Structure formats: C-alpha cells, structure tokens
Amino acid sequence: MKPRFFIRIDLTVPGAGSIVHVAELEEIDAQRCMMVRIIELDPAETIRGAARASTGTTVGMQNAPTEVVPHPDTYAGFPDIDHRELTEDEFEGLWSEAVAKFPEL
C-alpha cells in the first residue's frame, strides 16, 4: 500500500479570501499525490463541501477537486499555503461529520 497523508491546507487567495481543505492523499511519487477524499471548510470551520475520488462524488465544494495534487513535501514552495498534518483519527472525525451532512458521499 502506498503512503497516505492526512493534511489540512489553509490557502489565501488574493481578492477572494481564504479556503480551508482537509484531505486524504495517496502518494504517487515524491512530487505528486492522488486525492482520495477532501473536505472544504469555511473560515468558521463549518463543513461546506466534500468529495470522494473513488466514487467521483462531489457535494457543495466551490470547485471540483483536482485528481492529482502536489505532494505535501513540496508545500514549502507555495507561499500562499499554510499546512499541517492531521492524524487519521482527526480526519475520520471530520469525514464522519461530512458524511452525516452529505449522505450521498
């Protein structure tokens, strides 16, 4: 099984505000990861949307998630991104809330 990462990304978009994503990623190589599941939060930490790659289901997200994303080890090269690792339990707790809010996930 390939390494998986649970990551919180706080992204500042000039003129648009901030976006918070919490994601489960699966490593492809040292530069790229496959998006497995993602949750979109608003600045108040309320779940606004989520997606599951295995089923192609996206609900409530501002934009459809990208299938392949940069590896977390490369985030230091993105000045508008703050990130931190989550535990699997932290991610699963949020995912449970997302599924309760969006049962189609």
Side-chain angles (χ1 to χ4, degrees):
M1 184 172 193
K2 295 182 180 182
R4 292 210 174 192
F5 305 95
F6 300 93
I7 300 289
R8 177 188 168 113
I9 299 169
D10 293 86
L11 173 65
T12 302
V13 179
S18 64
I19 299 170
V20 179
H21 287 153
V22 178
E24 176 185 7
L25 308 175
E26 182 178 278
E27 186 175 76
I28 296 171
D29 57 35
Q31 298 296 310
R32 302 172 302 147
C33 286
M34 181 73 63
M35 180 72 65
V36 178
R37 296 180 288 175
I38 186 169
I39 302 165
E40 187 171 273
L41 305 170
D42 67 16
E45 305 285 323
T46 301
I47 295 172
R48 295 293 179 200
R52 180 190 303 259
S54 64
T55 61
T57 305
T58 301
V59 184
M61 299 215 23
Q62 287 183 5
N63 297 298
T66 304
E67 185 177 323
V68 177
V69 298
H71 193 289
D73 289 347
T74 68
Y75 291 168
F78 297 93
D80 296 338
I81 292 178
D82 289 322
H83 73 285
R84 69 176 177 87
E85 286 191 48
L86 301 175
T87 66
E88 185 172 356
D89 287 342
E90 287 174 308
F91 180 85
E92 292 299 344
L94 285 169
W95 187 254
S96 293
E97 289 180 40
V99 169
K101 187 171 186 171
F102 306 113
E104 58 270 39
L105 290 169

